Amino acid sequence: MTGPQRGGEAGHRGRWFRLRAAPERSGGDAMTGDGTRVVHAGVPEAVPGRPFLPGPAFGAPYHLEPVLGPQPGVDGYGRTDNPTWRALEGAIGELEGGECVTFASGMAAISAVLLSVLRPGDTVVVPADGYYKTRAFAASYLGERGVTVVEAPTAGPYPALGTVRLLLVETPANPGLDVCDIAELAARVHAGGGLVAVDNTAATPLGQRPLDLGADISVASGTKALTGHSDILLGYACTRDPQLAAALTGWRGATGAVPGPFEAWLAHRSIGTLDLRLARQTANAAAVAEVLAAHPAVVSVRWPGRPEDPAHEVASRQMRRVPGVVTFTLAGKAAADQFLQAATLVFAATSFGGLHTSADRRAQWGDDTPEGLIRLSCGVEDTDDLVADVRKALDAIGA
């Protein structure tokens, strides 16, 4: 495919956010669209009488060779491996462009990256405006283990990076949606011998491939848009460094932070519709962002797909598509409460990236954000219906 990817451009009323063509598959296959890639990612060769995607393999212990005992490459115990994980890891690794290790949740994946890489005396830089639980984990568990924790906003400025062991960035950041230049930061960190990990949760591997941009690790919560049905918890980390992959796999086995086989199977099943879901969510976000920007009840709105957004320039260079998450601020908690109560199609719920549009007032969780800040995750509803519902809820504020 030589033009823009099929089903990949999203716009509303003449405004388009142009996306880059899908990258070439590993192994030199011809270029294919994102829809083709996600449908076939990790799916085994066709065998007559077998399903497209084999069902989950349930097992804690497996049969061992009675004389030789455990053998390399043969499943022996469910905490260390499972064929259903391997199929999912193959699919995600194909999309991210690296070796994938799956975990029980996004936080399990983040903590595995931090604790398997960092040692006493190291310095780590974490996003000051990213997911607040990541900052809380770093402050609570890394500092008391002799690791120096430095916070930096996603859009900068950043401290001197020459002596940093690990730079963790989240781009787009959650919930503020700032974006950083991954390639530029990776060059600075690598010059001092450090590593770069990118939280790719909001973007997904169809939105950006951090490993292609110089990152050493791409880590994410698969709970969100990657699987998109709001019914499982999952995390993963991808890398092209065999030693890092071995360290992450060893950490998972030692701590038991493993995904269940049924969750892994559900995740693999769900990835097949990722391109379709993202296309509609991005289109909805583009439309909703314009409504929010024009409404007098809205104090501010962030969506990197808008040319007026401070993150647009970097996002348009770095990302292949902008996610369906829009963050906006109302006058305060009372206004946010009125919006959530007046909306019909917008569910009050945390998390994001699901089929249903949801809104989360982030301050209620202890996130250091304004009381009226709402992270709106656009679902796959008809755009006109969602726009009308959001406008109705905004008009209800103060009425």
Side-chain angles (χ1 to χ4, degrees):
M1 189 174 113
T2 56
Q5 60 191 25
R6 289 162 291 191
E9 290 185 348
H12 182 71
R13 297 176 184 169
R15 175 164 288 172
W16 290 80
F17 186 84
R18 185 158 296 278
L19 310 173
R20 300 180 184 179
E24 187 171 311
R25 274 186 172 183
S26 59
D29 294 345
M31 293 183 72
T32 55
D34 282 347
T36 303
R37 295 171 62 230
V38 296
V39 167
H40 290 275
V43 174
E45 294 294 328
V47 176
R50 299 293 302 275
F52 292 177
L53 181 64
F58 297 101
Y62 297 87
H63 290 293
L64 298 177
E65 211 295 323
V67 175
L68 299 176
Q71 298 295 300
V74 179
D75 294 325
Y77 189 58
R79 193 183 71 245
T80 55
D81 214 344
N82 180 287
T84 313
W85 303 348
R86 291 195 295 273
L88 174 62
E89 289 169 348
I92 298 174
E94 190 175 330
L95 299 177
E96 286 275 8
E99 183 175 349
C100 177
V101 182
T102 52
F103 293 87
S105 68
M107 277 307 301
I110 287 284
S111 60
V113 169
L114 294 172
L115 292 172
S116 64
V117 168
L118 297 167
R119 299 292 181 269
D122 287 342
T123 297
V124 61
V125 179
V126 299
D129 53 346
Y131 181 46
Y132 78 107
K133 283 291 188 180
T134 300
R135 298 195 303 276
F137 177 83
S140 298
Y141 291 94
L142 298 181
E144 66 183 25
R145 287 163 175 78
V147 176
T148 300
V149 179
V150 179
E151 295 186 5
T154 298
Y158 283 83
L161 299 174
T163 60
V164 169
R165 171 58 179 157
L166 178 68
L167 170 65
L168 172 65
V169 297
E170 182 179 345
T171 179
N174 168 31
L177 301 182
D178 265 330
V179 172
C180 65
D181 189 322
I182 296 172
E184 190 269 333
L185 289 172
R188 290 172 57 186
V189 174
H190 290 161
L195 300 173
V196 175
V198 176
D199 187 329
N200 204 32
T201 301
T204 80
L206 296 194
Q208 68 189 4
R209 301 221 309 178
L211 302 183
D212 288 349
L213 298 168
D216 302 283
I217 302 171
S218 179
V219 59
S221 168
T223 307
K224 314 284 192 300
L226 181 77
T227 57
H229 287 73
S230 307
D231 54 7
I232 60 173
L233 294 175
L234 186 79
Y236 72 84
C238 286
T239 180
R240 293 173 181 169
D241 185 327
Q243 291 184 322
L244 285 174
L248 291 165
T249 302
W251 179 267
R252 179 183 67 182
T255 60
V258 297
F262 188 58
E263 288 79 1
W265 184 84
L266 283 175
H268 198 168
R269 174 215 62 177
S270 301
I271 286 174
T273 60
L274 178 59
D275 176 61
L276 297 173
R277 290 186 280 106
L278 292 183
R280 174 60 69 87
Q281 289 167 341
T282 299
N284 282 348
V288 167
E290 294 306 312
V291 172
L292 292 167
H295 200 281
V298 177
V299 176
S300 64
V301 60
R302 294 297 307 272
W303 188 63
R306 298 184 71 237
E308 300 88 347
D309 192 273
H312 178 75
E313 191 275 328
V314 177
S316 62
R317 286 191 285 108
Q318 181 169 279
M319 302 184 68
R320 299 174 59 247
R321 68 175 90 199
V322 176
V325 178
V326 182
T327 294
F328 63 101
T329 304
L330 301 173
K333 181 181 184 301
D337 292 344
Q338 288 179 303
F339 174 85
L340 293 171
Q341 291 172 322
T344 303
L345 299 179
V346 181
F347 296 161
T350 193
S351 194
F352 57 89
L355 299 176
H356 307 90
T357 296
S358 62
D360 192 12
R361 192 178 67 83
R362 293 303 300 162
Q364 69 184 327
W365 302 103
D367 202 344
D368 186 19
T369 58
E371 287 290 335
L373 184 143
I374 292 176
R375 183 188 64 202
L376 184 74
S377 174
C378 294
V380 299
E381 297 91 351
D382 285 345
T383 302
D384 289 344
D385 294 338
L386 182 58
V387 165
D389 193 57
V390 169
R391 184 177 286 116
K392 176 197 72 173
L394 291 171
D395 290 342
I397 295 173

